[in-house]
Amino acid sequence: MPQSLDYLKETASQTAGPYVHIGLIPKQAGFDIFENNFTNQLVGPKTRGEKIRIEGKVYDGTGTPLRDVLVEVWQANSEGRYNHPADTQAKKLDPDFRGWGRAGSDFKTGTYEFHTIKPGPVPGRGGKTMAPHVSFWIVARGINIGLQTRMYFSDEEEANAKDPVLNLIEQEKRRQTLIARREEKGGEVVYHFDIHIQGEQETVFLDV
Amino acid sequence: MDRQSEASLRGVTPTLLSNAPNEWKGELFHRDRSIHPPGYTPGYKTSVTRSPTKALLSLQNSLSEVTGPIFNHNELGPLDNDLIRNYAKTGDPIGQRIIVHGRVLDESGRGVPNTLLEFWQANAGGRYRHKNDTYTAPIDPNFGGCGRTLTDENGFYHFRTIKPGPYPWRNYANDWRPAHIHFSLFGASFGQRLITQMYFEGDPLIATCPIVATIPDKDAIDRLIAAYDARATVPIDTRAYKFDFVLRGRRSTLFENKLEGN
Ligand SMILES: [Fe+2]
């Protein structure tokens, strides 16, 4: 017998359940407990970049929006640098932008939203550039392990066409499930990004 | 959002960035999905329409997956890890006083420092402080049911709480959840993000729970059960349970493709 590989095994995932709000966004559960709360507001007055709102719904296999889903986003800043030590690019960090937020969908309508900025492009593997995108992580009752995906931007057609991750998706029409639709209304820039867990329009989910 | 959080929640302290451990820069081991529940588990009925039917697209890590949010001690309050006191209004909450403690490790056995743990649970009667919980057991006026803490430089964590009660839920007609605490963990990369539940040694409801049974691997289930830890008990005051977490590991940086290309 050779020596055993003494790696540990990852802790198994379990559903976030119906009451995930208590732990992660207690105000939505209906009470106030922490002085600092993590929210869907990623930007402050001094954050650099184009201010945008991301809005959408997460649908189940029957086409019904999940009204108890929790969504988190992670993204680079407006220049395309992540606020993390693994990103050693020379681009400037933005002291007013962490790049992370979380939102619960509305208990009545199922709509979630984030207030953020449009990220810049970031380097991918092998010297390729990835089009601007936001990473998503989705948990809820009935979801046994968090679903990961990415949101790209409809006004970045040229960059999207060259994006190494979008190009990994074999069926071209499924690439569209990751592209948010830009709309400008009343001076506000809104990107609509619906996620379909199952069915005809099923979103491409990632095993990262 | 209140004023204090405005500054701290969005930024990351420069000292933390420059002191970050070198191993935070490596790619993650790919996830061994055989120990995790699949999406579609008909015994847990809600999963039937909330599970993807198409294969996940496997990606090699890029910067988008190895990076992730970093949190600071000054974002947390002094009572955030004490559920006995963090919502107490007129006295202590009802129930068995316990300490939960342990370590957050990665698959290589290294402690994961400075990582955020958030936790939530029902009160001693099995009732959640949540708009949508209608179980007949009463709300405890002195118990909120959530907390959070950061691991120390070696990955250790601890918090104090009340042992949660089991509660009924609508799945099959007479399903009861074993007593459990929900946990959310970050690690140092968005690709390590994990949500799970911790159960208590000796609980007969673990064996019959459809949510526990979504996990296909018996050993992986056993690893979700906290051990009663008499050594960590505070005599005449609080009992203790020990529970370790394991997040995805990272490749060493010995001979590695550079993530950012050449
Ligand atoms: Fe629960």
Side-chain angles (χ1 to χ4, degrees), chain B:
Chain B
M1 203 185 325
D2 52 68
R3 225 177 307 119
Q4 194 196 339
S5 59
E6 295 265 334
S8 65
L9 290 190
R10 275 188 287 275
V12 163
T13 56
T15 42
L16 190 57
L17 275 178
S18 56
N19 292 344
N22 210 36
E23 54 267 27
W24 283 12
K25 296 170 186 171
E27 285 178 64
L28 300 172
F29 295 160
H30 60 241
R31 184 166 249 163
D32 176 1
R33 296 218 168 230
S34 70
I35 55 105
H36 288 290
Y40 176 77
T41 49
Y44 173 26
K45 295 183 183 180
T46 314
S47 74
V48 171
T49 58
R50 293 185 171 198
S51 45
T53 56
K54 297 183 171 61
L56 305 180
L57 178 69
S58 292
L59 286 190
Q60 286 185 288
N61 284 177
S62 71
L63 273 182
S64 302
E65 289 78 38
V66 298
T67 58
I70 293 168
F71 299 90
N72 301 312
H73 283 280
N74 61 13
E75 297 179 67
L76 306 187
L79 290 180
D80 284 5
N81 73 338
D82 186 357
L83 281 68
I84 293 181
R85 290 283 153 74
N86 71 8
Y87 201 76
K89 308 287 183 203
T90 59
D92 284 353
I94 302 288
Q96 301 177 23
R97 300 157 62 85
I98 60 169
I99 290 164
V100 178
H101 75 110
R103 241 182 134 185
V104 180
L105 301 157
D106 70 13
E107 287 168 294
S108 300
R110 286 185 289 230
V112 182
N114 195 62
T115 192
L116 182 66
L117 275 88
E118 298 165 285
F119 23 94
W120 67 101
Q121 61 169 90
N123 67 22
R127 174 79 182 266
Y128 282 99
R129 183 175 286 281
H130 190 288
K131 278 178 185 166
N132 300 341
D133 188 359
T134 56
Y135 179 37
T136 181
I139 289 280
D140 184 332
N142 295 310
F143 192 68
C146 62
R148 50 197 188 177
T149 189
L150 285 167
T151 55
D152 71 11
E153 65 274 20
N154 295 307
F156 288 96
Y157 77 92
H158 67 274
F159 64 95
R160 190 167 75 150
T161 187
I162 293 293
K163 193 175 179 201
Y167 58 86
W169 61 298
R170 288 178 196 286
N171 186 58
Y172 296 103
N174 187 24
D175 276 336
W176 291 76
R177 294 300 325 279
H180 61 276
I181 301 178
H182 296 264
F183 284 90
S184 155
L185 294 97
F186 280 83
S189 305
F190 208 49
Q192 287 176 301
R193 197 81 179 80
L194 182 73
I195 275 194
T196 190
Q197 303 182 28
M198 180 199 97
Y199 304 96
F200 293 86
E201 179 179 2
D203 188 337
L205 294 169
I206 295 170
T208 55
C209 175
I211 288 179
V212 173
T214 61
I215 300 172
D217 181 303
K218 164 86 171 70
D219 294 337
I221 292 174
D222 287 345
R223 290 194 297 271
L224 292 185
I225 304 173
Y228 176 61
D229 182 4
R231 290 182 191 81
T233 291
V234 181
I236 333 282
D237 187 313
T238 311
R239 294 184 309 133
Y241 285 87
K242 184 167 183 292
F243 191 74
D244 291 341
F245 297 90
V246 180
L247 300 178
R248 292 168 70 185
R250 295 174 181 282
R251 290 190 212 161
S252 69
T253 46
L254 300 176
F255 294 98
E256 200 163 31
N257 299 328
K258 281 179 80 184
L259 280 179
E260 294 161 36
N262 303 310

